[in-house]
Each structure stands twice: as C-alpha cells, then as structure tokens.
Amino acid sequence: GASVFIERAHQLGLRVMFDFVPHRPRPVYSFAKEHDDWISKKRDGSNQIEWECVSFDYNNPGYYQYNVDLAAYYAKTFGLDGARIDCSMGGLSNWQPVKGYRPSSSGLAAGINVTKAIREGFIQGGKTPILLPENFHPNPAYAQYTDIFYDMPLFRTMHNLYHANITEAEYVGTLQHWLEAERKTSVKGQVKLRFLGNHDTVSWTFDAQRAQTLYGVKRAKALWSILSLIDGVPYIYQGDEDPASYNLQGENLEQFFTNLFAARSTLIPDDYDISYIYTDTPVFAFTRSDEKGEDIKLVLVNLSESSNCYELESEEPQLLYTDGGYRLEGSKIILEPYTTVIIKK
C-alpha cells in the first residue's frame, strides 16, 4: 500500500514524508526489552518514561545506526522522500549515558544526532531528503540538518497576541515586528513552516481547538492568507480544508485553499524577498519582490471585523488576487472585514 501511494504521489509531482517517532516503544514491547542499553536512565537506574513509553537516548551509537538503517530502508524500499521527526528536541536526561556524554546531552545534542542520523539514512538510500524535525527552538545548531524549521515560536506568538488585551492595530503591528525580528535573527536560508494548528494544538494543548472554531471562519482565512503569502512554507492540519472529513462542524475551505495556494505559486516565487509595511491600522501589509526589485507584489490583509482603508500609489491598481470584498475610492482601497488582496506595484 505504501509503495502504491508513494508511486502515485510521485506521478503527481508530490513528495511524501513519513512521521518518524524516535522516542520509542512502551516498556512491555520486546524491542524495548532487547535494547535496554538504549534507554535513558534515572538517577536510581530505572528507565526514563515519557508518554507511557521508554525514552531512548538518541546519542547511543547503536540507536544512531538503527535510525540510519531504518531511514535507508524506507528510502530504498518505498521511495520515501523524507520525514517529519517527532520530538526531535531530544529526550529525558540519561544518568547512564555512553562514554563521552553527560546526562543533559540527551537533550540538544541528542536531538541534533537523531536528525543527522535520519538524514544520513535517506542519503544512503539514494534520496536527497526533506526533513522537518519537530524542534520548537530555533537553535542554529540544527540548521545544517534541517530543511524546514517547525515554526512553533510563531504559533506561540500568535496565540499569546490573540489572548492579549490589545487592539486589532496593535496585534498587526506587534506580529509584523516579531516576524521581522525572527527573519533578521534566523540562520541564512532557513525555511519556516507556518501554521495555525497541528496535532497537539487542536487536541490537548494551548486552546485545543481548530482554527475555524477558535478564530471564526473569516479571521482564520485571513490569518491563513498571511501565513501562506509571507516567506516560508504554509501548512494546514488535516481536516482544516474540510472539517466534515473528521466529523467536525465548520465550513468547507477546499476552494479557498486551492485559490490561495495557486496565487502563491503563480504570483510569489519562494525566493522573493519580503518587506513589512507598518500601517498603524488593522491592515497587515507587506511586499514580496524579486532580487532586482522589478517585480513587486503588495499584499494587504484586513485583520479586523470592520472595514479599513489603505492608501495606494495609483488610482488604477492592478489587482491580481482577492478574497473578500473591497472598493476603490481614488487612490484608496477600502477592504471589507478580513479581506485579502494582492496588487501589482
């Protein structure tokens, strides 16, 4: 089944990633019992347990090689293209580590090692992999082994801003400032995964709600528009495009995402630079432009339940994409609540 699925995806021009879960099995399983030396230990010598599973030390050479071989097997056997790596921040402290490591190294060093091992395995399997480690901290040490950074810091920022007692304009300005700071302090070339929810945030942590439920459909669409049109890789959690597929209430947004991603693909190449425009209003504004500055796209998103205006440079703007309502009054564009437009500058 996996081979058929992956082969068909490749025919459609898609790449397939599996979810690797390296922290490993419940203690009753034979795999855990056979590899007791891979398990991180507490001070008293008992096994470290997390999520009812043993916590393997990713620094252990035997476990490192196991992950290399496992990734190579999937690459060779199924043609798998890469992996999301669960809990790649590392595991619990190991008070009986292999020689040369201290107990705390089962954190950062181990997280880097498991990511490195899986990359090495895919390469041995003949693939140039795409890896998405679930690493919540933008530590530069991960950069050389990470293709896409799991931008949990942005999610946390948006969560905190939503629950802060601030105006819509303050929300926009603060979010823009944060994104600028993130960009300026990131490793050069680091690609970020932008999302409004994942398997954790919709089920048990933060608001434990889908974006449509939390924000309302219109505001969620506006936020998805921002995350899809700034730099990085937009990600929607399964079912967000059609809540009914998971027996949930909500609006079918398949056409919305189809149109949005088509606009991104045709209008804003991945390597286009980004520049934020501070409006002091609820209008989230930025430009995406090529290296020479010859092709500039202005993106405007009204993050408000009220209409807001933006002063344009021309009375006859070339609108390339719209989602929502707007009207033109001279050189001003009035955006209805939660409207998104892309304009050719």
Side-chain angles (χ1 to χ4, degrees):
S3 297
V4 173
F5 179 88
I6 293 171
E7 181 179 359
R8 180 57 178 152
H10 289 168
Q11 292 172 355
L12 296 172
L14 302 173
R15 299 172 75 183
V16 179
M17 302 163 66
F18 278 5
D19 190 7
F20 277 67
V21 184
H23 64 80
R24 289 309 168 185
R26 294 177 184 272
V28 296
Y29 289 161
S30 59
F31 189 74
K33 296 176 180 178
E34 292 167 4
H35 299 289
D36 183 75
D37 59 319
W38 294 356
I39 302 173
S40 292
K41 306 297 181 180
K42 299 179 182 178
R43 288 176 182 266
D44 63 6
S46 61
N47 291 339
Q48 288 276 30
I49 303 295
E50 191 169 26
W51 299 299
E52 301 179 2
C53 298
V54 297
S55 181
F56 278 171
D57 187 344
Y58 307 160
N59 289 319
N60 186 284
Y63 189 48
Y64 183 98
Q65 188 59 48
Y66 171 85
N67 282 308
V68 171
D69 295 341
L70 184 64
Y73 169 80
Y74 277 104
K76 292 176 182 177
T77 307
F78 302 110
L80 191 66
D81 300 295
R84 172 196 175 270
I85 307 171
D86 192 64
C87 302
S88 57
M89 295 82 73
L92 301 177
S93 296
N94 183 10
W95 290 92
Q96 294 181 13
V98 295
K99 186 177 181 180
Y101 286 95
R102 60 188 182 186
S104 62
S105 65
S106 52
L108 175 61
I112 294 171
N113 264 338
V114 74
T115 307
K116 180 181 177 183
I118 292 174
R119 174 171 293 282
E120 184 179 327
F122 274 103
I123 293 172
Q124 288 186 14
K127 288 285 186 176
T128 300
I130 178 170
L131 297 186
L132 172 62
E134 187 192 22
N135 170 26
F136 294 174
H137 312 292
N139 192 300
Y142 278 87
Q144 59 183 315
Y145 307 117
T146 302
D147 298 288
I148 303 176
F149 171 65
Y150 199 85
D151 201 357
M152 196 66 185
L154 174 58
F155 175 88
R156 287 172 166 165
T157 297
M158 295 178 71
H159 171 269
N160 291 343
L161 289 177
Y162 179 70
H163 290 284
N165 185 24
I166 57 177
T167 66
E168 294 167 334
E170 288 172 331
Y171 177 100
V172 167
T174 305
L175 181 58
Q176 287 181 314
H177 177 75
W178 190 93
L179 285 165
E180 272 198 318
E182 181 193 45
R183 183 173 175 80
K184 291 177 179 178
T185 56
S186 294
V187 173
K188 185 177 181 180
Q190 185 185 63
V191 179
K192 298 175 180 66
L193 189 77
R194 315 293 201 174
F195 54 88
L196 279 188
N198 60 38
H199 66 289
D200 289 323
T201 67
V202 305
S203 58
W204 68 276
T205 188
F206 291 94
D207 292 293
Q209 297 181 69
R210 295 271 179 163
Q212 280 199 39
T213 305
L214 176 63
Y215 293 113
V217 176
K218 290 184 178 181
R219 185 176 179 86
K221 287 171 63 179
L223 292 172
W224 271 315
S225 295
I226 291 172
L227 298 185
S228 299
L229 299 173
I230 62 175
D231 57 306
V233 177
Y235 164 82
I236 57 173
Y237 182 61
Q238 55 190 16
D240 281 346
E241 75 287 4
D242 182 12
S245 64
Y246 280 79
N247 298 315
L248 299 172
Q249 298 295 316
E251 186 175 323
N252 186 315
L253 299 181
E254 291 178 350
Q255 194 59 55
F256 163 74
F257 283 116
T258 298
N259 295 341
L260 177 61
F261 294 157
R264 169 193 165 89
S265 176
T266 57
L267 300 176
I268 306 176
D270 292 338
D271 62 351
Y272 270 32
D273 196 10
I274 186 167
S275 179
Y276 293 99
I277 302 169
Y278 290 87
T279 64
D280 295 324
T281 75
V283 177
F284 192 105
F286 58 96
T287 59
R288 300 295 305 274
S289 59
D290 63 354
E291 186 177 358
K292 295 182 180 180
E294 297 174 350
D295 182 28
I296 304 175
K297 308 292 172 45
L298 171 65
V299 181
L300 304 175
V301 182
N302 181 16
L303 275 183
S304 173
E305 58 186 12
S306 303
S307 295
N308 283 278
C309 68
Y310 181 89
E311 185 75 34
L312 301 171
E313 297 177 358
S314 169
E315 294 188 4
E316 298 181 356
Q318 182 181 355
L319 274 76
L320 305 175
Y321 169 84
T322 64
D323 181 70
Y326 70 92
R327 69 180 188 274
L328 296 170
E329 293 183 359
S331 60
K332 289 184 178 180
I333 183 169
I334 292 86
L335 304 172
E336 293 181 6
Y338 304 115
T339 289
T340 297
V341 299
I342 302 178
I343 299 172
K344 170 77 173 178
K345 288 198 70 177

